[in-house]
Amino acid sequence: AILARTSSTWSLRFCEIANMPFVKFENIAREWRFKWSTDSDNASLIKAQVELDEVLAEVSSIEGVASVQRIVCGGCQDF
C-alpha cells in the first residue's frame, strides 16, 4: 500500500505484488522513520511529536488504515 498526500488530502492506494499470486496478506505496514537529536533538550524529538500530533487524526481516519503507532527508541534515537 502506498500512503500519499496530495494537497491536503491523504489517500491509501493498494498495489499488487507482480508474479507472486501465492503471497497473501491482510495488512500492509508503512513506516516513517528518522533520527532525532538530544541537542537543545531533545528539541527535534519534541518537534517531531508536535508534527505527528498535527496529522495523527487525519492519517488515522484514512479508509483502510487499521492503526497508527508511534515508537521512539532513546538508545538509537529513532522516531
Side-chain angles (χ1 to χ4, degrees), residues 5-19:
R5 186 170 190 163
T6 56
S7 314
S8 61
T9 305
W10 290 92
S11 65
L12 189 63
R13 296 177 289 162
F14 290 95
C15 301
E16 294 179 5
I17 298 177
N19 300 321

Side-chain angles (χ1 to χ4, degrees), residues 21-36:
F22 53 87
V23 175
K24 298 184 187 298
F25 50 88
E26 292 182 18
N27 294 298
I28 299 174
R30 177 72 174 180
E31 180 177 282
W32 299 334
R33 179 190 298 212
F34 65 89
K35 296 290 188 182
W36 54 274

Side-chain angles (χ1 to χ4, degrees), residues 47-79:
K47 179 65 174 166
Q49 185 63 51
V50 168
E51 296 292 326
L52 177 61
D53 289 343
E54 289 181 9
V55 298
L56 186 57
E58 187 178 1
V59 171
S60 297
S61 69
I62 296 170
E63 183 180 345
V65 171
S67 69
V68 177
Q69 299 174 343
R70 182 206 34 106
I71 300 171
V72 175
C73 177
C76 61
Q77 296 172 318
D78 277 343
F79 182 99

